[in-house]
Amino acid sequence: VQLQASGGGLVEAGGSLRLSCAASGRTFSSYIMGWFRQAPGKEREFVVGISWSAGSTYYADSVKGRFTISRDNAKNTVFLQMNSLKPEDTAVYYCAARWPTVTSYDYWGQETQVTVSS
């Protein structure tokens, strides 16, 4: 599966952004999808994941209540709605995919930059 992320940009603290990740491949609906981010000087961290049916979602504590992941399997797209953004959310964001039977994300999209000004 190939992934193409978009939607990043510059926003003031308290603002919102919506990231999209378009996937190619007929089996997109079978993959678990996730978003990761990496801030300058820090390691990449998990942000949120969503099961193939969208019945289960998993959020990092730092974004709970502010970020919402969703997916549209008919359009092979996963979304990340980010509200109440904080300067510490500034990072490059990546979407990723993994097969349900494996634990590691094997497919990665290119980065999209999110910058939150204070």
Side-chain angles (χ1 to χ4, degrees), residues 7-10 17 19 90-93 111-115:
L10 172 64
L17 282 174
L19 305 184
T90 295
V92 291
Y93 284 70
E111 63 191 47
T112 186
Q113 176 71 45
V114 172
T115 303

Side-chain angles (χ1 to χ4, degrees), residues 1-93:
V1 61
Q2 293 183 324
L3 307 173
Q4 179 88 17
S6 61
L10 172 64
V11 65
E12 292 184 350
S16 299
L17 282 174
R18 189 191 197 204
L19 305 184
S20 299
C21 178
S24 64
R26 293 175 293 176
T27 58
F28 167 79
S29 61
S30 299
Y31 285 88
I32 292 173
M33 301 297 298
W35 287 94
F36 291 75
R37 68 186 182 186
Q38 186 168 17
K42 295 186 177 180
E43 294 187 353
R44 186 170 58 194
E45 64 174 354
F46 172 81
V47 177
V48 60
I50 186 168
S51 65
W52 68 272
S53 65
S56 297
T57 54
Y58 315 89
Y59 292 89
D61 289 342
S62 58
V63 305
K64 282 181 181 177
R66 301 187 298 119
F67 289 14
T68 303
I69 190 171
S70 61
R71 67 189 295 166
D72 185 338
N73 287 337
K75 296 182 179 180
N76 281 12
T77 304
V78 63
F79 304 98
L80 181 62
Q81 178 66 44
M82 305 184 294
N83 298 328
S84 302
L85 283 162
K86 304 175 181 180
E88 51 263 44
D89 295 318
T90 295
V92 291
Y93 284 70

